[in-house]
Amino acid sequence: MSLLKIARLGHPVLRKPAAPLSEKELKDPRTQTLIDDMIATMREYDGVGLAANQVHCSKQVLVIEARNTARYESAHEIPLMVLVNASITWRSEEKEEDWEGCLSVPYLKGKVPRSTAIEVRAFDRKMNKQDFRAEGFLAVVIQHELDHLSGKVFLDRMKDFSTLTHLEEYGKYWAK
Ligand code: ZN
């Protein structure tokens, strides 16, 4: 496994909608290696999710996992998930605003309103269909990662930039 370089804000790949994968592409050993490398990269940098275009591959692949990391100390745990060709088929009207950060937008955090519940249609890494409902922290992470695949970052979803905060000041004034 190898660690992948993360694209940072300003790199055009982050602003380009990612393409869906065919079953043949997904089963290609190169794609399976990419998924393993994405998991390793997410863990190395203490992320809770990573979209393929964040590692310069414009395909609809996401990996998500939350363990008790230093970066998300209060996060609920999420078991490792690989989501291929995912889309949100329903989202709640009800929204909650909470802090988000992003490996592609380093050193910054901001408050982002997100639906509190969603329904997701996706495939796993073997192209098995998986439709499910997600709530709370998992719903937030999926919305954040799916935004990446449509060329958006969390800054685009903020109501305004009044809560935009450097990590150091976040730790000093806002961390729970
Ligand atoms: Zn992100």
Side-chain angles (χ1 to χ4, degrees), residues 2 41-42 76 94 98 109-110 127 163:
S2 39
T41 303
M42 168 177 70
H76 303 292
E94 189 197 353
D98 209 349
K109 274 181 170 284
M127 210 50 128
T163 60

Side-chain angles (χ1 to χ4, degrees), residues 14-154:
L14 292 175
R15 292 307 195 173
K16 190 179 148 199
L21 277 140
S22 66
E23 187 160 1
K24 190 164 171 260
E25 278 177 297
L26 179 61
K27 290 185 173 164
D28 188 311
R30 284 171 297 185
T31 306
Q32 293 296 317
T33 301
L34 169 76
I35 292 170
D36 290 333
D37 290 348
M38 284 174 66
I39 294 167
T41 303
M42 168 177 70
R43 288 176 175 165
E44 174 70 16
Y45 296 109
D46 279 338
V48 293
L50 196 63
N53 56 349
Q54 288 183 277
V55 291
H56 307 87
C57 174
S58 197
K59 294 287 179 185
Q60 291 181 16
V61 181
L62 302 176
V63 298
I64 291 173
E65 182 185 50
R67 301 186 284 190
N68 277 324
T69 65
R71 196 176 158 93
Y72 289 91
E73 69 286 340
S74 61
H76 303 292
E77 297 201 6
I78 301 171
L80 178 64
M81 302 172 83
V82 176
L83 300 182
V84 173
N85 298 348
S87 59
I88 293 174
T89 54
W90 172 85
R91 57 181 86 221
S92 66
E93 295 278 318
E94 189 197 353
K95 291 187 176 188
E96 253 174 44
E97 214 180 38
D98 209 349
W99 293 97
E100 290 184 26
C102 181
L103 295 176
S104 295
V105 189
Y107 315 117
L108 289 172
K109 274 181 170 284
K111 280 191 155 187
V112 185
R114 299 282 190 189
S115 292
T116 55
I118 55 173
E119 281 173 14
V120 179
R121 168 156 296 174
F123 297 85
D124 68 12
R125 65 187 295 172
K126 293 178 178 156
M127 210 50 128
N128 296 311
K129 199 169 175 189
Q130 43 177 4
D131 290 357
F132 61 95
R133 182 185 168 89
E135 294 177 2
F137 184 60
L138 176 60
V140 170
V141 174
I142 292 173
Q143 288 171 84
H144 176 117
E145 298 308 330
L146 270 177
D147 271 356
H148 277 301
L149 295 183
S150 61
K152 296 206 175 309
V153 297
F154 77 90

